Amino acid sequence: MDQGEIIQNDEYFYGGSEPVYPSPEMTGSGGWKEAFDSAKEFVGKMTLDEKISLTAGANSETSCPGFLPAISRLKFPGMCLADAGQGVRGTDFVSSWPSGIHVGASWNKELTLARGKGMGGEFRTKGVNILLGPVVGPAGRVVSGGRNWEGFASDPYLSGVLVGETVKGVQGVGVIASTKHFVANEQETNRNPGNGAEAVSSNIDDRTMHEIYLWPFQDAVRAGTGSIMCSYQRVNNSYGCANSKTQNGLLKTELGFQGGVVSDWGAQHAGVATAEAGMDMAMPNGGDFWGSHLKDAIKNGTVPESRLDDMVIRTIASWYQMGQDKDFPGPGVGMPKDLTKPHRIVDARNSSFKSTLFDGAVEGHVLVKNIRKALPLKTPKLLSIYGYSAKNPDENNPTDGLSPWLMGSGSFDYQEFGAGFFGWSGATPGTTGIAFNGTLYSGGGSGATSQSLAISPYDAIIQQAYEDDTALFWDFHNGKPAVDPVSSACLVLGNAWAAEGADRPGLRDDYTDDLILHVASQCNNTVVIFHNAGIRLVEEFIDHPNVTAVIFAHLPGQASGKALVSILYGKENPSGKLPYTVARNESDYGNMLRPDQPEGIFRKFPQSNFTEGVFVDYRHFDENKIKPRFEFGFGLSYTTFRYANLAVEKDSNKSFEEFPKGKIVEGGQEDLWDVLVRVEAEVENNGEVEGKEVAQLYLGIPETGREGEKVPVRQLRGFEKVSIGVGETKKVVFELTRRDLSVWDVRGQKWRLGRGEFKVEVGGSSRDLPLVGKFTV
Ligand code: BGC
C-alpha cells in the first residue's frame, strides 16, 4: 500500500460518533435526592482550587492506585480508589476472591451478592472508598481477549444480573463500586495509543451497543453504581473518556446515571473535550490536561463552571450516598506504601465470609466430561498428579513498589507480562498461553488478587490422601512423566493464563495437550483440570477413552484446592455451568477469535468492526448452525434433573404497548422493568445425590421483518439456581420484563416490544431445552 493512502489525520473520522452536548447535570433522581442536596451544599462551600483538586488524583502516602486529596478546611478526608473486581490488590491481610469468570460460571445470584458484601467489607476496612470494579467490559467478544476473565460472562443478561448483585453487595457495605470499562473495551491489543498508532476503535452499530455492550452497564446503573470507569479504547473513533455519545448520551441521559465517571488510568487524551463529554475525574492525575489547565479553562470561560461543579457534586454525592461522610475508615488506612517497611496491621479478612469464599470457589467449577463414574473418586489407592498448575508458585511475597507480586505474577513470566502491560522490550506480549510456575488463583494485571493464604490443589490433595492413606506420586515439571500403571486415577492440572495488557496467543497449547495425551496413553482413568482465565479448547484429547473426566476450574481464588478436592471426592456436587461457548475449532468463532490489528490505510487508526452485530457467543453458533463442543450454559452434576410442567402467563394488567412511556430513573425508563410475563417450571432431582441445578430460560423474540433487524434464535432471559434433594421437585419462576421482550429501535431510540409469537424454552443449557412454550404479544 502506498504511504499516501494511509489515513494520517483524525479528521477522517469526525462525525463517526454522534455529538451529544452539553453534559447532563446530576438531578438527584431516584434514591439520590438527599446525597445530591448534601453534595450541592458542600461543593457550594469550596473554592475553585478545592473543586479542581477533586477532579484528579494526587500523590499519597498509601499504595492506593488512585487518591483524591483531603480538603482539611472542610474536614473532607480524601478518597482512596483501589483494584479490583476480585478483592483488594497489592496489600496484606486480604482475601483472594473468585474472579469474575468464576462467578459467572456459578450462575448463583445469592452467592454473588454475598461475595460483593464480603469483598466490599475488606475494601472498607482497608479504607478504600471506591472499588475499581466490577467488570462487564470486556463483554467477551474477542474470544482470546486478555481480560475476559475479569468479567462474568459472554452474555449480557447473565453479566447484567451478576453485576447488579455485585454492586448491591459492595455498596451495601458503604463502598462505591466503579463498574468498568465503559464501553466496548474488548481487546488488549492496541488498547492504548503507541507505536505510531492511536488506540483501537470499537465500531458498533446503535442496536448492538444497546442489546449487547450497554446492557450490563444498564443493570449496574439500575443497581445504583456510584461510579463508572471510562475505557482506554475508542468507540466509533472517539476516545472512551472523550466520547459525548456514550457518556453524555447513553450513560447520563438514557440511563439517568447519577454518579461520576472516572477515567481509566491514563485514558484521558484531551482536556476541554473530556470535560464537555462528561468525564468527571482524571486518574491517576490531571496530567497535561486538567489540574491547572482545567482551572484556566474555567477562568477563561472555555468550560463553564457549572460543568466543574457537576463533576465534583457527582463525586461527593456518591460519597454521601454510601454514608462515607460518617464512620468510614481513613482513606488508605490499610494500604501502606511499602509493605516491606514497618506498618500497622489492618486485617481486613472477616471469618464470617469464609464459607462464601469456599462456596464461591466450589460453584465456579464446571464439570464437562465424566464417564465410567470416574468422579467422584472413591478412596483411591494410588493417585498420580501431573502438571504445572497443581502446586503453589514458589513465591507469594511483596517487594517494594512495582513488583511481580503486585501484578499477581507468581505463576507467570513477568517479563512477558511487562512487555504487554508496561511496554517493555525484550519479550513479546501474548506469546505464552500458560502460567508454568504454579496454579492460578486469578489472572494477572490490575485485576490480580493478593492472597494472604491460598490452598493449591496439591496442598488439599495431600491432606485428603493423608486421611485416606492414599499413596501419591507427583511430577509437576516433566512434559512426559513416567506413569505407574496401577494408579487408581491420574490427575493432570494445566492452565490457560491471561493478563491485562495482552491478548492470549490462542485457546489451547501443545505442551499441555501433549502432557494430557501422554498421561492418558498410560493411565486409563485420567482426570483433566484446567485453571482457565478464558475459553480453553479440548479437541485434542476430549474423545480419548482414557480421559474420563474434565473440569474447567476457572479462577477460584484462595480456596481453590479445598474446593477442587471437595468436588473430586464428592463432598460437593459440581453445579457450575459454562458462561461461554467452547467451540470445536478456533475458526468456529469467526472474526471474534482474535483482536483486530492496525492494518492497511488504518495502520495509524486501528479499527475493530463489530460486523457480527448482536451475534456474539452462542447467538453466533445458533445463527451460523455451528455445533459447539460444549454449549453456553452447559455443565454436569453427579446427579440428574428432569424438567416438567411449563406454565407461561401474561400479566393482563400491564401495558403491552409498543414503546415504554415511563420517566427515566437510574437504569433507563422505569417501565422497562415491568414484569409482563411470568414463566414457571418444575425441576426434579431424579438421580442419586443431592445437587444444585441452574434452570435457564431462553426467549425467541419474533422476527421483526425490518431490514437489518435479524433477531437471535434464542437469548438468555432468566436463570434460577436451586438446590434439590434426591427425589425432590422444586418450582422455578422466571419474570420477564419489558426490556427482556424488546429490541432496541434505532429509529425511535427506544426499546420496542416484540410483536407476534414469542418462543419460551427452559432447560439445563442453551442446547438442552426440553420445555417449550409460547405466548403472543
Ligand atoms: C486498568 C484498570 C485499573 C487501573 C488502576 C488500569 O490499567 O485498566 O482496570 O482499575 O489500571 O489500577
Side-chain angles (χ1 to χ4, degrees):
M1 175 119 359
D2 169 8
Q3 250 329 90
E5 291 180 359
I6 296 177
I7 292 156
Q8 304 286 349
N9 196 308
D10 222 5
E11 274 169 34
Y12 177 90
F13 301 101
Y14 282 6
S17 183
E18 182 195 331
V20 182
Y21 298 103
S23 187
E25 289 183 11
M26 180 180 183
T27 59
S29 74
W32 286 79
K33 171 128 184 39
E34 228 176 279
F36 175 58
D37 290 345
S38 306
K40 242 186 5 194
E41 199 192 318
F42 193 46
V43 175
K45 293 182 197 150
M46 290 179 191
T47 64
L48 178 59
D49 285 314
E50 284 166 347
K51 286 189 273 189
I52 296 280
S53 78
L54 295 189
T55 61
N59 292 335
S60 79
E61 285 312 304
T62 70
S63 61
C64 303
F67 200 91
L68 278 189
I71 304 176
S72 42
R73 185 181 74 87
L74 298 174
K75 298 199 169 54
F76 177 72
M79 289 171 92
C80 163
L81 295 81
D83 293 305
Q86 27 278 325
V88 189
R89 178 178 61 98
T91 193
D92 50 8
F93 302 103
V94 289
S95 309
S96 163
W97 294 81
S99 290
I101 194 173
H102 204 85
V103 177
S106 80
W107 296 63
N108 188 327
K109 301 176 200 177
E110 292 78 30
L111 198 50
T112 304
L113 178 68
R115 170 183 175 268
K117 287 185 190 157
M119 203 164 73
E122 295 192 12
F123 281 82
R124 182 187 177 106
T125 307
K126 288 289 189 184
V128 179
N129 303 75
I130 303 187
L131 180 160
L132 303 174
V135 170
V136 288
R141 172 185 184 264
V142 177
V143 182
S144 53
R147 296 188 84 174
N148 290 349
W149 59 275
E150 294 185 53
F152 300 107
S154 304
D155 174 83
Y157 182 90
L158 179 53
S159 285
V161 171
L162 298 179
V163 80
E165 296 303 313
T166 305
V167 167
K168 279 186 236 157
V170 167
Q171 297 197 158
V173 297
V175 172
I176 301 164
S178 185
T179 306
K180 66 191 188 182
H181 306 85
F182 189 72
V183 58
N185 185 195
E186 299 299 320
Q187 64 176 62
E188 292 302 278
T189 305
N190 293 97
R191 67 173 181 159
N192 274 316
N195 296 328
E198 292 296 327
V200 64
S201 176
S202 297
N203 302 329
I204 313 183
D205 67 88
D206 186 39
R207 181 177 154 226
T208 303
M209 173 61 94
H210 283 83
E211 295 187 18
I212 304 292
Y213 300 96
L214 187 64
W215 180 293
F217 282 102
Q218 182 168 18
D219 290 293
V221 174
R222 180 168 148 79
T225 192
S227 172
I228 292 272
M229 188 189 290
C230 55
S231 57
Y232 282 134
Q233 94 300 340
R234 297 172 161 217
V235 183
N236 295 330
N237 284 295
S238 165
Y239 271 105
C241 297
N243 194 311
S244 67
K245 169 67 186 178
T246 57
Q247 298 183 141
N248 291 341
L250 300 180
L251 187 60
K252 290 183 173 175
T253 306
E254 244 177 63
L255 302 188
F257 174 58
Q258 296 294 304
V261 175
V262 57
S263 77
D264 197 344
W265 269 231
Q268 186 183 30
H269 301 294
V272 172
T274 51
E276 289 181 339
M279 194 184 106
D280 301 305
M281 191 195 292
M283 279 292 164
N285 51 54
D288 295 339
F289 303 109
W290 281 8
S292 64
H293 306 290
L294 182 58
K295 187 174 166 186
D296 289 346
I298 302 284
K299 282 175 81 179
N300 69 23
T302 319
V303 173
E305 187 154 357
S306 56
R307 178 70 270 267
L308 173 67
D309 289 347
D310 181 54
M311 292 177 193
V312 186
I313 287 172
R314 286 172 177 272
T315 302
I316 296 295
S318 313
W319 183 72
Y320 278 118
Q321 178 77 351
M322 307 308 151
Q324 295 186 355
D325 55 319
K326 324 177 187 86
D327 181 33
F328 198 86
V333 280
M335 307 284 291
K337 208 180 184 78
D338 181 354
L339 286 179
T340 66
K341 300 262 161 58
H343 57 278
R344 186 159 72 85
I345 289 179
V346 179
D347 193 343
R349 298 166 304 164
N350 177 344
S351 55
S352 52
F353 284 97
K354 217 166 169 170
S355 58
T356 310
L357 278 156
F358 174 74
D359 294 343
V362 168
E363 295 203 16
H365 283 74
V366 183
L367 177 68
V368 292
K369 180 177 183 183
N370 190 18
I371 58 167
R372 303 201 301 270
K373 297 209 165 162
L375 294 181
L377 299 170
K378 293 144 211 95
T379 335
K381 192 127 191 83
L382 168 62
L383 266 187
S384 297
I385 314 167
Y386 305 104
Y388 50 87
S389 202
K391 66 166 186 67
N392 262 325
D394 296 333
E395 279 175 33
N396 178 50
N397 204 23
T399 44
D400 182 15
L402 277 178
S403 67
W405 175 79
L406 193 64
M407 298 298 165
S409 172
S411 306
F412 56 81
D413 182 341
Y414 189 54
Q415 292 306 314
E416 190 183 319
F417 167 78
F421 193 86
F422 302 113
W424 293 344
S425 54
T428 312
T431 315
T432 316
I434 60 179
F436 206 82
N437 303 327
T439 197
L440 291 180
Y441 296 103
S442 75
S446 67
T449 60
S450 300
Q451 35 277 350
S452 303
L453 165 147
I455 304 188
S456 74
Y458 178 52
D459 297 333
I461 293 167
I462 298 178
Q463 294 204 5
Q464 181 67 44
Y466 183 85
E467 296 305 321
D468 298 345
D469 288 324
T470 294
L472 288 187
F473 281 137
W474 62 90
D475 182 340
F476 302 144
H477 296 299
N478 262 310
K480 299 217 178 318
V483 177
D484 183 330
V486 306
S487 302
S488 325
C490 300
L491 309 182
V492 184
L493 290 108
N495 64 44
W497 174 65
E500 180 182 349
D503 295 306
R504 297 166 58 202
L507 305 181
R508 50 164 293 276
D509 71 280
D510 287 342
Y511 178 87
T512 314
D513 283 351
D514 289 350
L515 172 68
I516 294 165
L517 289 171
H518 171 82
V519 173
S521 68
Q522 294 166 76
C523 180
N524 66 5
N525 190 16
T526 299
V527 175
V528 177
I529 297 134
F530 282 112
H531 291 101
N532 54 316
I535 295 173
R536 186 16 168 124
L537 302 192
V538 294
E539 286 318 289
E540 310 299 312
F541 58 83
I542 194 72
D543 288 327
H544 195 296
N546 289 348
V547 172
T548 49
V550 177
I551 295 176
F552 288 118
H554 296 115
L555 302 168
Q558 66 182 45
S560 175
K562 217 170 142 57
L564 178 68
V565 163
S566 329
I567 288 170
L568 291 176
Y569 285 79
K571 282 176 273 186
E572 295 286 339
N573 190 349
S575 63
K577 305 260 188 174
L578 296 174
Y580 49 73
T581 301
V582 179
R584 289 169 188 264
N585 307 298
E586 289 195 334
S587 57
D588 292 343
Y589 294 106
N591 65 319
M592 290 168 281
L593 174 64
R594 290 190 205 288
D596 283 300
Q597 302 288 342
E599 57 190 15
I601 60 166
F602 297 114
R603 227 172 292 165
K604 293 188 168 189
F605 296 91
Q607 304 292 305
S608 180
N609 299 323
F610 292 22
T611 48
E612 72 289 343
V614 298
F615 297 96
V616 292
D617 200 74
Y618 63 87
R619 293 163 175 81
H620 161 78
F621 284 78
D622 287 342
E623 180 66 16
N624 296 294
K625 306 204 167 39
I626 304 168
K627 207 171 161 219
R629 168 53 71 172
F630 297 122
E631 72 272 19
F632 177 86
F634 174 74
L636 297 170
S637 160
Y638 295 150
T639 190
T640 49
F641 300 100
R642 200 174 66 87
Y643 284 78
N645 294 334
L646 183 75
V648 181
E649 202 190 340
K650 273 171 63 182
D651 186 342
S652 49
N653 296 320
K654 294 281 161 59
S655 153
F656 281 79
E657 277 177 55
E658 208 167 14
F659 291 104
K661 291 227 164 82
K663 65 172 189 300
I664 289 184
V665 292
E666 270 184 289
Q669 286 189 278
E670 62 188 343
D671 44 348
L672 285 176
W673 314 100
D674 285 354
V675 175
L676 302 190
V677 176
R678 261 172 68 100
V679 177
E680 288 183 8
E682 285 176 2
V683 190
E684 182 197 343
N685 179 344
N686 61 354
E688 282 154 25
V689 284
E690 182 183 346
K692 287 182 184 164
E693 169 70 334
V694 181
Q696 301 162 40
L697 181 148
Y698 293 83
L699 195 65
I701 299 176
E703 264 313 331
T704 65
R706 299 191 191 206
E707 208 193 316
E709 214 182 64
K710 247 205 280 169
V711 179
V713 180
R714 61 177 64 83
Q715 306 192 71
L716 183 72
R717 286 294 185 260
F719 65 93
E720 288 299 324
K721 191 166 194 175
V722 277
S723 179
I724 317 179
V726 178
E728 212 188 332
T729 297
K730 285 251 170 96
K731 186 159 92 178
V732 284
V733 179
F734 308 97
E735 297 190 322
L736 301 176
T737 66
R738 173 178 272 277
R739 184 181 65 154
D740 293 334
L741 273 50
S742 299
V743 291
W744 178 255
D745 188 283
V746 174
R747 251 179 297 162
Q749 286 295 297
K750 279 190 162 65
W751 289 95
R752 172 171 29 89
L753 195 63
R755 281 274 178 270
E757 194 175 282
F758 286 70
K759 186 173 181 189
V760 178
E761 297 171 289
V762 173
S765 86
S766 65
R767 289 196 171 210
D768 176 16
L769 296 162
L771 304 184
V772 183
K774 58 183 184 195
F775 63 89
T776 307
V777 170

